[in-house]
Amino acid sequence: MRAVFQPKQGFKLFDCVVSRQAFSLDRCSKLREKIPSSNEEDRLDEGESSDSDDEISMRGKEDEAKEIEQKTEVPADIPVPAGIVDISCHPKRNIIAAGLIDGSIVLHSYGVGNAGNKHLISFDHHKQSCRTLCFSDSGEHLFTGAQDAIINVLDLETNSVCHKFTRVNGCPPYSMLSVDDYLLASGEDEGAVVLWDLRMQAPIHCFNHCEDFISSLVTNKEKKILLTTSGDGFLSTYNIRRNKLETQSEPYDSELLCAGIVKDGTKVVVGAGDGSLSFCNWGEFSFLTDKFLIHPGTIDALLVIEDDVICTGCEDGKVRAVQLSPKRILGYLGSHAGFTVERVRMCYEKLFIASSSYDEKIKFWDLSGIEELKMGEIKKKTSKLPCIGKESFFSDLQ
């Protein structure tokens, strides 16, 4: 067993601070051996996938996507001792947590220049693979879920497990979302969505409307509607105040792996196993429209950057910036050398993002180049508009 940092008595963590299938060792080894798939393309498909000739031509356009220049220095890569399954950024400090395939959880502070990256603490309370983790809204707790179907709640003031959640006949969690300081939502391997309250031992509600893994959970600003994607191709919404299913979409023809809310809460974007992004209006979840095929492999991670810009993590190892209006790839921020990008998270100060893969590294990417690309395109279009002035317009009337 590897050495674990043991804090001194009275030590507090913050005092020192300046996709996918079931995650298993077999899956990890397969991902390591996987050869990155060839590039596919940037296009909008309003119906079924086009014929192979069209797909090939669009794939060529994807090859033209350039690497986005990193304008600002970012924290150095953080190496970890085992494959990373999930990462989560602290909501109020420059701290990142990683759940590893050997069951351990490691926390690092990150920074540039003299601050640098520092290992803070490691936890080994899980004896099986850590499947998912997330910080509470306040940052006082860290929720961790493992292959043994147990969810632990870590108190980061005392660096100890203060709660342990489990349910009869429960399955391992695949995804988790902290709704508020007390309410936690988890999505399980066999399709259950479970609501937990820190003040109670048993789950407060369990929804069983899907049969495959719950790949992602998202909630709106009002924290009233919980939106989930699943491996059996359903987009489902639950009213978590009334504990009931609101809507469930028609089954998509591919597994749905991630989702985000964009356009000031009026639209939802969903990433799928076929490399497409699909959209629907908020409140109209029955059908996904505007199938936009832009990726050469599965879209395993999705992060909303702005109202019309998202970052995606793909099977080919690249982290892409995608503009939604107009629909186009702005470029890619960087890559994990062909390893599937499993997670993309926003860092605390929102100056850069973090991504993780099975290359056993957490990488950071600068976001400032994205805005420059957008502004450059606006200036380019504006410069093409005809200049109509008073003198030139009336010059022929004298």
Side-chain angles (χ1 to χ4, degrees):
M1 181 179 294
R2 66 188 179 81
V4 178
F5 173 72
Q6 296 293 338
K8 298 178 181 179
Q9 187 175 4
F11 170 88
K12 292 184 179 181
L13 173 63
F14 301 141
D15 290 342
C16 65
V17 174
V18 193
S19 140
R20 295 177 285 187
Q21 302 296 324
F23 292 105
S24 64
L25 289 173
D26 289 339
R27 168 144 170 86
C28 182
S29 62
K30 289 178 181 178
L31 284 171
R32 290 178 182 279
E33 296 169 359
K34 183 177 286 187
I35 299 174
S37 53
S38 59
N39 283 333
E40 204 175 312
E41 173 14 358
D42 175 13
R43 69 185 181 92
L44 173 62
D45 186 345
E46 297 182 352
E48 297 296 323
S49 298
S50 62
D51 295 335
S52 58
D53 290 343
D54 292 335
E55 291 178 358
I56 292 172
S57 64
M58 299 312 293
R59 198 174 294 130
K61 292 182 180 180
E62 162 62 21
D63 291 338
E64 298 173 4
K66 302 292 181 62
E67 184 172 2
I68 299 173
E69 183 181 354
Q70 299 287 283
K71 301 285 186 179
T72 307
E73 183 183 3
V74 298
D77 296 352
I78 298 177
V80 296
I84 303 172
V85 181
D86 198 3
I87 58 174
S88 180
C89 292
H90 194 280
K92 296 183 179 180
R93 298 177 185 270
N94 288 339
I95 298 174
I96 191 164
L100 308 185
I101 203 164
D102 65 0
S104 58
I105 291 94
V106 294
L107 274 72
H108 287 79
S109 64
Y110 55 87
V112 298
N114 294 331
N117 302 329
K118 296 178 183 177
H119 173 257
L120 299 178
I121 192 169
S122 296
F123 298 98
D124 285 332
H125 52 272
H126 287 302
K127 302 307 177 186
Q128 298 184 36
S129 173
C130 179
R131 307 287 300 287
T132 179
L133 80 173
C134 64
F135 284 99
S136 63
D137 279 9
S138 66
E140 295 176 0
H141 298 101
L142 178 66
F143 304 100
T144 66
Q147 180 70 33
D148 56 11
I150 295 175
I151 296 174
N152 285 321
V153 184
L154 287 167
D155 185 326
L156 297 180
E157 290 293 315
T158 62
N159 300 316
S160 61
V161 176
C162 59
H163 294 282
K164 185 175 290 188
F165 292 143
T166 186
R167 69 187 188 90
V168 178
N169 299 323
C171 294
Y174 191 97
S175 55
M176 287 196 305
L177 174 70
S178 175
V179 179
D180 57 35
D181 277 339
Y182 295 102
L183 188 62
L184 174 73
S186 65
E188 296 185 350
D189 272 356
E190 295 186 6
V193 176
V194 187
L195 298 180
W196 308 87
D197 192 313
L198 270 177
R199 297 160 291 190
M200 303 176 68
Q201 291 298 318
I204 58 177
H205 203 81
C206 181
F207 305 100
N208 290 283
H209 299 95
C210 297
E211 297 181 354
D212 209 342
F213 64 97
I214 302 299
S215 53
S216 69
L217 306 109
V218 184
T219 187
N220 61 346
K221 292 180 181 179
E222 295 75 24
K223 304 293 181 74
K224 177 182 177 182
I225 301 297
L226 178 68
L227 184 147
T228 70
T229 57
S230 65
D232 49 2
F234 287 105
L235 177 68
S236 308
T237 58
Y238 302 92
N239 188 316
I240 52 181
R241 295 180 183 175
R242 298 180 180 179
N243 290 332
K244 70 172 187 176
L245 174 73
E246 288 278 349
T247 58
Q248 189 169 63
S249 70
E250 294 292 319
Y252 196 72
D253 56 6
S254 178
E255 56 187 3
L256 301 182
L257 299 176
C258 47
I261 301 172
V262 294
K263 298 294 183 181
D264 196 27
T266 62
K267 290 187 179 294
V268 174
V269 56
V270 180
D274 61 0
S276 68
L277 291 172
S278 295
F279 304 84
C280 68
N281 295 324
W282 184 263
E284 300 174 4
F285 306 108
S286 298
F287 296 96
L288 293 171
T289 59
D290 292 345
K291 188 174 179 181
F292 183 34
L293 279 170
I294 58 171
H295 293 72
T298 61
I299 303 176
D300 293 275
L302 185 155
L303 176 67
V304 177
I305 303 298
E306 302 175 15
D307 245 8
D308 67 336
V309 176
I310 62 173
C311 278
T312 59
C314 185
E315 185 180 13
D316 69 348
K318 289 184 179 179
V319 178
R320 290 174 173 81
V322 181
Q323 188 170 1
L324 304 180
S325 193
K327 297 180 177 67
R328 63 186 179 124
I329 292 181
L330 294 171
Y332 67 94
L333 295 169
S335 76
H336 282 265
F339 292 98
T340 301
V341 180
E342 296 286 343
R343 295 291 189 271
V344 182
R345 304 295 191 200
M346 180 68 74
C347 293
Y348 158 57
E349 293 178 333
K350 298 185 177 180
L351 299 176
F352 35 80
I353 61 175
S355 63
S356 66
S357 181
Y358 279 99
D359 57 0
E360 300 180 1
K361 293 178 182 177
I362 300 172
K363 292 177 175 285
F364 296 89
W365 313 103
D366 171 39
L367 294 175
S368 59
I370 294 177
E371 191 61 30
E372 282 196 17
L373 282 173
K374 288 179 58 184
M375 295 305 297
E377 185 67 20
I378 292 173
K379 289 179 181 179
K380 184 178 178 182
K381 289 181 179 179
T382 303
S383 65
K384 292 181 179 179
L385 293 175
C387 181
I388 301 177
K390 182 176 180 180
E391 181 179 349
S392 61
F393 186 81
F394 292 104
S395 59
D396 294 333
L397 302 182
Q398 295 181 3

